[in-house]
Every structure is written in C-alpha cells, then in structure tokens.
Amino acid sequence: MPVHNASCWLEECLQAIVHQDFTGSMELSVFDDASTDDSRKVLEGWRERMEDRGISVVISGHSSSQPRGVGFAKNKAVTQSSGRYLCFQDADDIMLPQRVRLQYETSILHPNSLIGCGVQRLPEGSTERYARWINSLTRDQLLTQAYTSHGPTVVMPTWFCSRKLFMKVGLFDEGGKGVPEDLLFFYQFLRQGGSPLRLDQRLLVYRYHEAAATHSVTEETIWKLRVDFLQERVLSQWENFTIWNAGKQGRKLYRSLSLINQKKVKAFCDVDKNKIQKRFYTYEESKDMSGGVLEENLNALQLREGTDYYHFN
C-alpha cells in the first residue's frame, strides 16, 4: 500500500484489512511517500491491532521535500514485503471482507493472470459510466479494449497476483507525477502473454475524489501510449486497414500514426450525413520527401458512389 497524505481515509482502509475473512497468513506492507499530514502516526497506531489479528506489519517511508510518486512507493512496498502473493490496496479505498480470500483462490487457479474484481464507487453514483464499464467488461473485452480504454481494463486498485508474475513483468515505472505507471505495467504484462481476469463480485469500495493521483495524468499522455501500443501489437501485423470515424478523432488517430502505418490506411468510414453530403472532404496537408525534392500534397477524403464511407486518396 503506497501512502501520501492519506490520513483522512486510513482508518476505514485499515479497519477493512483487519476484517478480511482470509485465514492464511497476511502482511501489510506500507511505504509512506513524504506525507506531510499524520499518515505515519495513524499507520503506527494500527500496528498492534494488525498484529493481534495475526497480520504482520512493515512500514517505511521517506521525508524528503517532494514525493517520489506512486510507482516508486508501490515498488518500495512490494520489495520490502515477503508474501508469495500481492494484493494491491490504495490508501483511500476500502476492501470488502471477502476480497483477499476470493482473489487468492482465483490466483492459485490462474497463475498467469492479473486478477481484478468489481467495484462499488464512493460517493455512490460518481463516475457512473466508468464504474459500469469496469464492472461489465467480458473476459474477451478485458483484452480487446486494452487498445481503446484510458487505463488498464482491470483497474489498478483491484489488482491481485503472485509475486512471481509481478517480478516477471517488472517493477512499476518511477517517473513520478503524470506517469501512468499502472498502464505501462499492464501493457508489459500483456506483451508477456499475461491474461487479465476480473471477478464479478464487487470486492472493493473505489473512492472518487479530486486529489486522486490519476488526475495528474493528461489525456494526451494516455492517447500517445494507446496509439503506440496499438501500432506495436496490432497495426504492425496488418497490410492495410480502415478507420471508422471521418471526424476529429479519426483524423487525430491518423496524424498520430507512424508514416508506415499512415500508408496502410485505405479508407475512413462514417455515417454522418453532413460529411457525406459534402462528397469531398479536405483532410490535411502532408509533406513527403521524394527523390530529394520536397513535395506538398493535399490529402482528401472522397466519397465513393453508393457507399456511406469516405475513401482516403
């Protein structure tokens, strides 16, 4: 569990850990990333109650002037821990009593899987569409939507896996604020043939608030990572393809592609009657170096007769 200025949430979080119905051995490993509130005091205040419950406690941290970031804190918490399985817990979230037991049992059966679970959002009704997406993805969609989602399809606060699997994938990126360390780890997990899995039970109360670290990651950062991963894993295997969307997002995707993949685009498809009625849709200017001469071309989307899509010339 990484901690940074989380004292207002820690009581609920730690109480839920104590109330886990898992009967095996457990350890709470916490790294305090330069908190300036009384998070460390709250943590130490729970040590005796944890140990009375049979949960060993490892707490460390640093008091530098600046936090090192979530990736750094998670890595420290993992490396100082001793368990054969890892249950990731954010300091502002609340486990339901069955979480560790059910995810542990599932991880034994699926050793090559990153195990997630359903969530309850707090406050209730916040980010309702996002919560519905988290809880409703099919097993196939956990893989296919990795290329279109704004983060891991198995959301980080619900992760559970073996230490062996975690170390095979490698530690979190420690770039600090603005770096989506969970998404980078998830992509590397998929590269190595990992299989994401989610329990349908809602085993975590996933808190939404403006101070959450996820808000420091920009949409452009996520977009670039997604497009790069799509090109690496999918588009590099295709001879050509079409882009569904002749509007702003389709054009943005095209501009984000490498030159090699841009040349594979055969058509832009759309059902927008306003676009179709124009029949000829100016796309963008491009500059190609050919035979040492700089040539300026005007690329355009042209409607094919009798069809509802634009052809890229």
Side-chain angles (χ1 to χ4, degrees):
M1 182 166 70
V3 171
H4 176 68
N5 291 344
S7 62
C8 60
W9 301 298
L10 279 172
E11 293 287 342
E12 284 184 289
C13 175
L14 297 170
Q15 184 72 56
I17 294 173
V18 168
H19 286 161
Q20 290 299 296
D21 64 13
F22 179 66
T23 56
S25 61
M26 285 203 303
E27 173 188 73
L28 174 63
S29 175
V30 183
F31 187 83
D32 178 19
D33 189 21
S35 291
T36 56
D37 63 4
D38 60 350
S39 291
R40 192 69 171 265
K41 181 180 178 181
V42 174
L43 290 165
E44 291 293 351
W46 274 84
R47 183 186 291 273
E48 185 175 347
R49 278 174 281 184
M50 290 281 179
E51 292 174 346
D52 288 345
R53 165 66 173 75
I55 301 172
S56 58
V57 179
V58 180
I59 302 173
S60 70
H62 70 100
S63 54
S64 302
S65 59
Q66 294 294 326
R68 294 285 301 275
V70 179
F72 176 81
K74 288 174 182 174
N75 287 340
K76 287 293 187 182
V78 169
T79 54
Q80 73 187 13
S81 69
S82 59
R84 290 186 296 117
Y85 291 86
L86 303 172
C87 179
F88 292 90
Q89 173 70 22
D90 285 351
D92 51 357
D93 295 332
I94 306 166
M95 295 187 188
L96 271 66
Q98 312 94 319
R99 181 188 173 190
V100 171
R101 173 175 56 83
L102 292 177
Q103 290 191 299
Y104 170 72
E105 292 170 354
T106 305
S107 190
I108 290 175
L109 297 175
H110 302 274
N112 196 40
S113 288
L114 190 59
I115 312 296
C117 64
V119 301
Q120 302 174 26
R121 212 54 161 137
L122 188 68
E124 185 176 350
S126 58
T127 65
E128 187 173 351
R129 183 177 176 183
Y130 177 53
R132 185 167 59 249
W133 176 81
I134 292 172
N135 292 328
S136 64
L137 290 177
T138 66
R139 190 162 184 179
D140 285 344
Q141 288 173 330
L142 293 175
L143 285 171
T144 58
Q145 293 201 18
Y147 301 104
T148 58
S149 66
H150 286 262
T153 50
V154 174
V155 293
M156 170 69 214
T158 71
W159 286 5
F160 191 107
C161 67
S162 69
R163 179 182 294 274
K164 181 179 178 180
L165 175 62
F166 178 84
M167 297 310 297
K168 176 186 175 185
V169 176
L171 298 174
F172 291 107
D173 187 286
E174 296 184 359
K177 187 175 181 179
V179 175
E181 82 293 331
D182 56 345
L183 183 59
L184 293 171
F185 183 96
F186 190 67
Y187 283 166
Q188 186 61 17
F189 164 74
L190 294 177
R191 286 187 185 101
Q192 296 187 9
S195 175
L197 184 65
R198 189 201 69 241
L199 297 179
D200 290 336
Q201 295 96 324
R202 300 183 183 186
L203 303 176
L204 184 78
V205 177
Y206 185 13
R207 196 186 302 269
Y208 175 81
H209 57 90
E210 291 301 325
T214 187
H215 296 307
S216 71
V217 182
T218 67
E219 287 189 14
E220 282 305 309
T221 295
I222 298 295
W223 174 273
K224 184 180 186 308
L225 290 171
R226 285 164 53 193
V227 172
D228 288 350
F229 191 62
L230 177 67
Q231 294 188 96
E232 171 197 335
R233 302 287 292 175
V234 180
L235 302 187
S236 62
Q237 310 299 314
W238 291 356
E239 293 185 3
N240 52 67
F241 59 94
T242 61
I243 296 176
W244 179 265
N245 188 329
K248 181 178 178 181
Q249 287 297 93
R251 300 196 305 273
K252 180 180 179 181
L253 174 58
Y254 177 83
R255 291 194 300 268
S256 302
L257 299 176
S258 67
L259 182 59
I260 290 174
N261 285 323
Q262 284 181 353
K263 291 179 177 179
K264 295 179 181 180
V265 177
K266 297 303 179 183
F268 285 74
C269 303
D270 211 298
V271 293
D272 187 334
K273 296 299 182 183
N274 291 327
K275 294 189 181 79
I276 293 171
Q277 287 170 1
K278 292 179 180 178
R279 297 189 61 79
F280 194 82
Y281 182 68
T282 302
Y283 180 64
E284 67 172 271
E285 292 184 355
S286 66
K287 295 181 179 181
D288 297 322
M289 293 296 294
S290 177
V293 178
L294 182 64
E295 298 180 348
E296 185 164 305
N297 302 314
L298 185 65
N299 293 330
L301 298 175
Q302 186 176 13
L303 174 66
R304 283 183 178 174
E305 287 296 331
T307 61
D308 284 351
Y309 66 83
Y310 293 103
H311 179 67
F312 182 73
N313 289 326

